[in-house]
Amino acid sequence: MSGLMLNLVCEPSRGGKSGKYRGNAKHERFLGRRHYLEHKGLLKEKQNKKRNKKNKMKNKNKSRNTQHNGGDQSKPGAIFPKFTSYLPNKTNEPSSSAQTFSRKSTFSFPSTASTSRRHPTHQAAPRTLGPLKYVALDCEMVGTGPKGCRNELARCSIVTYEGDVIYDKYIKPINPVMDFRTRWSGIRRQDLLHAIPFDQAQKEIVKIITGKVVVGHAIHNDFKVLKYFHPACQTRDTARIPLLNQKAGLPVNEMVSLKRLTKAILKKDIQTGKGGHSSVDDAKATMELFKVVESMWEEKLSALSLPAKAMDLALNQKT
């Protein structure tokens, strides 16, 4: 009798406060609701909604990645130009427009991680309807970021083949300036007080140089701070023209400074004093140096260029 009483007291009832039985009841209610939803066909609908929501999130993340890699044009970023090349027939005899121009091809240079580090190679510019148009470009940079270690554009000057200034503006860097580098750049704090924003300057500069042969000294550095990639076949880097080194009596493979080349070939002094460089003077000196060897250099590039058909095939493969 006492054993029976003990069992009645110790064994919890099904509806009591025991966690075990409360858990079983909760699970039974869950199963009941699940069976009800399955019977009504609502469970599949709920699962489809979840699946669609996940797919939307994936698509949104993909679009964000695309914008981050250059799709978003609202923020200043790298510009990859498109240009059209007209390839004439081998004989320069006049003919109909359908025969004169074999094919018209438009392509843009791809974005690669190594493009900003790679030096532009000299190639013959695509043939156009008229004479090649040359401009010389030079940029001055200031330091931003930790201890001013990052280069950013602060001034850009462009001159024509004749040396006339067609662009010369101070440009406000995207990030706060930590080092004005006045001794070399010639930039002072007051110069940037009313400077134009970078994205505006970038559009103005690209509009000027698009479709033209751009001359510069170590010009890959200028294109880098401009966040722009000019076609290599339309670029002339006076720091990498061996004929200039020969004229100056210097080793062909040596990277010679603009100041040294100008002194040796043009007998002019630039970048003197502690006031810093002038991008206008540097651009003019660069164009003058190029003109010294222009005919020989362009002839050499033309001799190295591909025949019209082979070039046309190469262009089409890039598109």
Side-chain angles (χ1 to χ4, degrees), residues 18-257:
S18 169
K20 178 181 177 182
Y21 285 100
R22 277 192 294 111
N24 289 341
K26 189 175 181 180
H27 184 63
E28 287 175 1
R29 288 197 300 273
F30 169 76
L31 292 177
R33 284 197 300 270
R34 186 180 179 87
H35 291 319
Y36 174 77
L37 291 173
E38 286 178 349
H39 179 69
K40 294 289 186 179
L42 299 174
L43 185 63
K44 285 186 178 180
E45 186 179 346
K46 193 173 182 180
Q47 289 174 345
N48 289 335
K49 284 182 179 180
K50 284 185 178 181
R51 194 178 295 112
N52 292 335
K53 193 174 181 180
K54 285 182 180 179
N55 292 334
K56 284 182 181 179
M57 290 298 293
K58 286 181 180 178
N59 293 334
K60 187 179 283 187
N61 290 334
K62 285 182 180 179
S63 64
R64 284 178 181 173
N65 291 334
T66 303
Q67 290 179 353
H68 180 71
N69 291 329
D72 187 6
Q73 296 298 327
S74 61
K75 297 181 180 179
I79 295 178
F80 305 94
K82 290 184 178 181
F83 71 92
T84 302
S85 64
Y86 296 90
L87 303 173
N89 55 6
K90 290 183 179 180
T91 61
N92 293 324
E93 299 173 358
S95 59
S96 64
S97 59
Q99 293 174 344
T100 304
F101 304 109
S102 58
R103 197 172 297 174
K104 177 180 175 182
S105 58
T106 304
F107 63 92
S108 61
F109 282 79
S111 171
T112 59
S114 62
T115 307
S116 61
R117 301 188 191 95
R118 188 170 60 238
H119 301 301
T121 56
H122 293 286
Q123 301 170 11
R127 296 178 182 270
T128 57
L129 291 172
L132 296 175
K133 293 184 179 180
Y134 295 87
V135 293
L137 177 145
D138 188 78
C139 297
E140 300 297 342
M141 304 138 194
V142 293
T144 63
K147 297 182 180 180
C149 63
R150 189 184 302 120
N151 293 329
E152 285 203 39
L153 183 64
R155 184 184 180 185
C156 181
S157 302
I158 304 173
V159 301
T160 64
Y161 184 82
E162 292 76 21
D164 299 322
V165 179
I166 56 175
Y167 190 90
D168 181 32
K169 290 185 181 181
Y170 289 104
I171 299 154
K172 188 176 182 180
I174 300 170
N175 299 298
V177 179
M178 305 304 294
D179 186 358
F180 286 91
R181 304 175 184 172
T182 306
R183 182 179 175 184
W184 298 277
S185 68
I187 305 295
R188 294 166 178 79
R189 186 181 300 274
Q190 57 267 28
D191 295 331
L192 302 182
L193 292 178
H194 303 289
I196 65 173
F198 172 80
D199 56 345
Q200 179 184 339
Q202 185 191 50
K203 291 175 183 177
E204 293 174 353
I205 295 163
V206 170
K207 186 177 180 180
I208 293 172
I209 66 177
T210 297
K212 296 182 179 67
V213 177
V214 181
V215 182
H217 194 82
I219 198 169
H220 60 279
N221 293 320
D222 300 311
F223 289 151
K224 187 174 181 180
V225 294
L226 276 169
K227 300 184 186 294
Y228 171 79
F229 300 91
H230 200 65
C233 59
Q234 294 179 343
T235 303
R236 302 291 181 267
D237 192 343
T238 54
R240 294 182 172 275
I241 297 180
L243 290 172
L244 283 173
N245 287 31
Q246 290 176 4
K247 287 273 186 184
L250 299 169
V252 173
N253 296 326
E254 183 179 345
M255 178 78 77
V256 185
S257 68

Side-chain angles (χ1 to χ4, degrees), residues 238 241-254 256 260-267 288-297:
T238 54
I241 297 180
L243 290 172
L244 283 173
N245 287 31
Q246 290 176 4
K247 287 273 186 184
L250 299 169
V252 173
N253 296 326
E254 183 179 345
V256 185
R260 193 176 171 191
L261 276 177
T262 305
K263 180 66 174 177
I265 298 174
L266 304 176
K267 310 301 180 186
E288 286 185 44
L289 285 171
F290 174 71
K291 287 163 77 172
V292 170
V293 295
E294 176 190 353
S295 57
M296 291 184 290
W297 187 240

